Amino acid sequence: MNAPPPSKAAAGRFFEDFEVGQRLRHATPRTLREGDASLYGALYGTRFAVQSADTFARAIGYPRAPIDDLLAFHVVFGKSVPDVSLNAVANLGYAACRFLKALYPGDTLSATSEVIGLKENANRQSGVVYVRTQGFDQHGDVVIDYVRWVMVRKRDAAARAPAPSVPDLPGAVAPADLGRACPVIDAAAYDDALAGSPYRWGDYARGERIDHVDGVTVEEAEHQIATRLYQNVAKVHFNQFSEGQGRFGRRLIYGGHVISLARALSFNGLANAFHVAAINGGRHVAPLFAGDTLFAWSEILDAAALPGRADVGALRIRTIAAKNHPCADFPMREGEGYEPHVVLDLDYWAILPR
Amino acid sequence: MNAPPPSKAAAGRFFEDFEVGQRLRHATPRTLREGDASLYGALYGTRFAVQSADTFARAIGYPRAPIDDLLAFHVVFGKSVPDVSLNAVANLGYAACRFLKALYPGDTLSATSEVIGLKENANRQSGVVYVRTQGFDQHGDVVIDYVRWVMVRKRDAAARAPAPSVPDLPGAVAPADLGRACPVIDAAAYDDALAGSPYRWGDYARGERIDHVDGVTVEEAEHQIATRLYQNVAKVHFNQFSEGQGRFGRRLIYGGHVISLARALSFNGLANAFHVAAINGGRHVAPLFAGDTLFAWSEILDAAALPGRADVGALRIRTIAAKNHPCADFPMREGEGYEPHVVLDLDYWAILPR
Amino acid sequence: MNAPPPSKAAAGRFFEDFEVGQRLRHATPRTLREGDASLYGALYGTRFAVQSADTFARAIGYPRAPIDDLLAFHVVFGKSVPDVSLNAVANLGYAACRFLKALYPGDTLSATSEVIGLKENANRQSGVVYVRTQGFDQHGDVVIDYVRWVMVRKRDAAARAPAPSVPDLPGAVAPADLGRACPVIDAAAYDDALAGSPYRWGDYARGERIDHVDGVTVEEAEHQIATRLYQNVAKVHFNQFSEGQGRFGRRLIYGGHVISLARALSFNGLANAFHVAAINGGRHVAPLFAGDTLFAWSEILDAAALPGRADVGALRIRTIAAKNHPCADFPMREGEGYEPHVVLDLDYWAILPR
């Protein structure tokens, strides 16, 4: 045996450990199981018929019920945490996220990230790291591709920072880039009553607002179980001993948990929005804590036909989630910022049958 | 795109939205997965050998371990909630519930309900709705068939109510109607030691009382995860923000969660009662809340041979569950009503090997 | 029907109900499911690549991702509880635990125990019961074999105790007895980056200490769900009504839950220790309760080549877990006993690629 190195436990990268162009190959490939789908369902109560029933999925053209898009997203995201955001102060945003291939139980996900931007903060204590992360299946095909940026602590405030480099990010994924993960479906075989709503793609109007009505209270055990399901080990979600001494005095709920809760709430009003084709942008405006009750509302930002497809169309949806505040008044901005109960501002493209 | 309707989010039916003879086709078909069985086991700690092990199930004549009867019941029940009981004040009772076909991982459940009775309450604020709900598998076969009645709010107290109509319900399912979901088993191959008890059908006597001894404390995360597993979205179970301002100041635990907890506790004393063949009646006498500890005891009400079957017999069992009160004293009625800690009074037929 | 016996509910064995040489065949065979693996992952956040991904497992020589060793251990342990430790005061220790066969979803576990030692305590209120427990798969092969000892109450302090008999237990499993559950792997195909660490068997030195850095706070719902996943019904884990009046005023967390938490934390520093081949000894030094945050550190006690195998080697690892105390100072003993925050002292053999 060789002499031991100082420590074999990883402390995670600090801001000065990143450089633009750096490629990170993330650990822990993960086979998606039927059991993961069951747990995901039980954690969020999601009711989209395509993901819920093999019969419904097969009737419209899927080989079987696919894995929920956001479950796959969170698994890919989780892989990037030990290499990118173990020392993160905050997960600032997402952009240009595309879902490129339908996934099924038995598929295995792995992930890589490339550093595409770096910008030190003025206080020199931290900086923003931009990464483009790609998730792959067992065939090496890219299944999810997105950019996120995160504020990461510096190990040493005096360390020299690279020249600022901020990537140029699209405001939204273009309609021509949507739908690759959705097979051509038989829209006539899509059963609205079983799906839970008579409203198809053409029934929604730009500017239409939908209060999703219901609220769901989050427990510590729930968000911890969910976040571990994604093998996401960011310290802030699990360690009350250290977080109790920190900024909030509480464990912070993983932002992706909030997104999945809001998406599940949105079923009431968007039951036929069965597939998340892209996330144009997402901001975690404020933290959510155990004991808080989450509500959500959505606005239809745009509707787009998909080139060459008469079976489905895309809606660009902005979903706002608020804590401890029902959304009948559609809370969002107030003056310069968000109303104080807003926690999530998510802009995504969903696919609906035409 | 057309002009938007007022809101695409469903608010649920109120009492005046029901009429006798109305048929409701419920949303969200659901494929039962091995992962659902794992979660069900972990939520209740159920230990009946037939559902736990493929080897045991095959040895006696099942093709593999079947899905727990109550898991299937809760999934069917959950489908009816958005159409029947989203605005329910209370779930009042069940009757004539029969389990008609064994279910296995991979089977898909869907459900319909027919309104079979309506009766406005004297205060005109609400009324009782009686529905007969049927669960179907992917072949269109009826797998579960039951009646429940629920108190539903009126939208408008002044709304005219229909003439009262209360269905005639049987006191119990007849023995001749039991056992269709249980294949003919090889009772000689049924291993009592592996099953956990030497007591078979013939060893129980009418009037025999069994204290199930153990108690289990319920956590918010547990009942929420369970209720979402069933895709049951009744507001009272999940929304502390609104329930905190309501009748109890707390989230109410889904009554079916209580039934499954009591059934799991009953293993200690009824380990060979491996199949729930019918529910004759069930009453949620009082609410259960997180932090409460549930205990249970059972009385053998009757024993019945099944016509033409020498392999199994049925026991009619009354299981009483109480909160924060061990059941060594067999609590039940006191004067006109139930003792204050009683929460569940369940009357069912179970199948045991002869 | 015959006359009923006094009660069909089991109260569990007391100390005077055991005798050396007694063989106990435990109830409730259990088929391990993919869903159990999903739940196990979500409860602990385990990230060992072999158990996480079919692709990784196949690349090195497994037919698919195996079931986590400790999940199988807990399931076997759980079966022994109703027959051995329902009336236990404390689970005192484990020894000579060997993992003898890799397990996969679809395998069914059953278990037996033999009483191999008995020793009444001086106060005559209780005694120590030593059992050798074996877990079997559906082929009748022994898959897990271990000794544990547990302090069990006497029903009657005046009852005569047998002559003390304490088995001779090995300090550690011999290297020649390790590795039967690990197929010969292709160490060249083992991808260190995907596994999450460059450190293989030869890179660890005797005496090396690793702080696993992270901490995880435990919730009541989590340990209850885990313990029920194992069908372990020991009263102390579930019943706040009775435990609230007991020694600690709290529900006690199953010791195996603590072991699995510590093992998951140890990934950070021991990512390639993919298989638990044996547990030499384990002591639950102090109880863990919900709300506590668990930390862990490990010391490499020994390294051993396996006879005839060039693919893998074994590390003997001592993992200490502490509550509400980060382990950068490697807490363990202080004077005669353990430092007050230490809860677990585990000595095991892990397999790593060479």
Side-chain angles (χ1 to χ4, degrees), chain A residues 1-2 4 8-10 25 27-31 33 35-36 108 224 228 231 233 235 238-241 251, chain C residues 38 42-43 46-47 52-55 64 191 193-194 202-204 206 208 211 214 217 219 222 268 293 324:
Chain A
M1 296 198 295
N2 305 322
K8 291 189 170 71
R25 196 158 156 260
T28 313
R30 163 70 178 276
T31 303
R33 310 281 183 196
D36 301 325
T108 298
Q224 293 197 150
R228 284 188 295 237
Q231 296 176 313
V233 297
K235 300 163 193 292
F238 298 108
N239 186 331
Q240 182 58 37
F241 181 83
R251 281 163 277 175
Chain C
S38 292
L43 288 163
T46 183
R47 289 181 287 153
S52 177
D54 288 341
T55 50
R64 60 176 295 186
D191 185 324
L194 283 182
D203 298 317
Y204 289 85
R206 283 185 195 84
E208 182 173 350
D211 171 19
D214 298 316
T217 304
E219 300 295 321
E222 292 170 349
N268 193 1
T293 301
N324 308 320

Side-chain angles (χ1 to χ4, degrees), chain A residues 54 191 194 204 208 222 268, chain B residues 1 8 10 25 28 31 224:
Chain A
D54 288 341
D191 184 323
L194 283 183
Y204 289 85
E208 183 174 348
E222 292 171 349
N268 193 359
Chain B
M1 295 200 295
K8 293 190 170 69
R25 195 158 156 259
T28 314
T31 303
Q224 292 197 151

Side-chain angles (χ1 to χ4, degrees), chain C residues 55-66:
Chain C
T55 50
F56 193 96
R58 283 195 196 111
I60 64 168
Y62 282 85
R64 60 176 295 186

Side-chain angles (χ1 to χ4, degrees), chain B residues 155-179:
Chain B
R155 185 186 290 106
D156 170 12
R160 253 192 86 184
S165 161
V166 174
D168 193 26
L169 296 171
V173 173
D177 288 335
L178 303 176

Side-chain angles (χ1 to χ4, degrees), chain A residues 183-188 200-201 305-314 352-354:
Chain A
V184 173
I185 70 163
D186 179 353
R200 295 197 174 196
W201 176 72
L306 300 192
R309 293 186 70 160
D311 58 330
V312 294
L352 290 85
R354 293 177 67 161

Side-chain angles (χ1 to χ4, degrees), chain A residues 177-238:
Chain A
D177 289 334
L178 303 175
R180 276 177 52 188
C182 177
V184 173
I185 70 163
D186 179 353
Y190 188 102
D191 184 323
D192 291 342
L194 283 183
S197 166
Y199 306 114
R200 295 197 174 196
W201 176 72
D203 297 316
Y204 289 85
R206 283 185 195 87
E208 183 174 348
R209 293 176 160 203
I210 303 163
D211 171 19
H212 300 306
V213 181
D214 298 316
V216 58
T217 305
V218 184
E219 300 295 321
E220 299 280 14
E222 292 171 349
H223 77 85
Q224 293 197 150
I225 289 172
T227 308
R228 284 188 295 237
L229 176 66
Y230 315 135
Q231 296 176 313
N232 177 335
V233 297
K235 300 163 193 292
V236 293
H237 309 315
F238 298 108

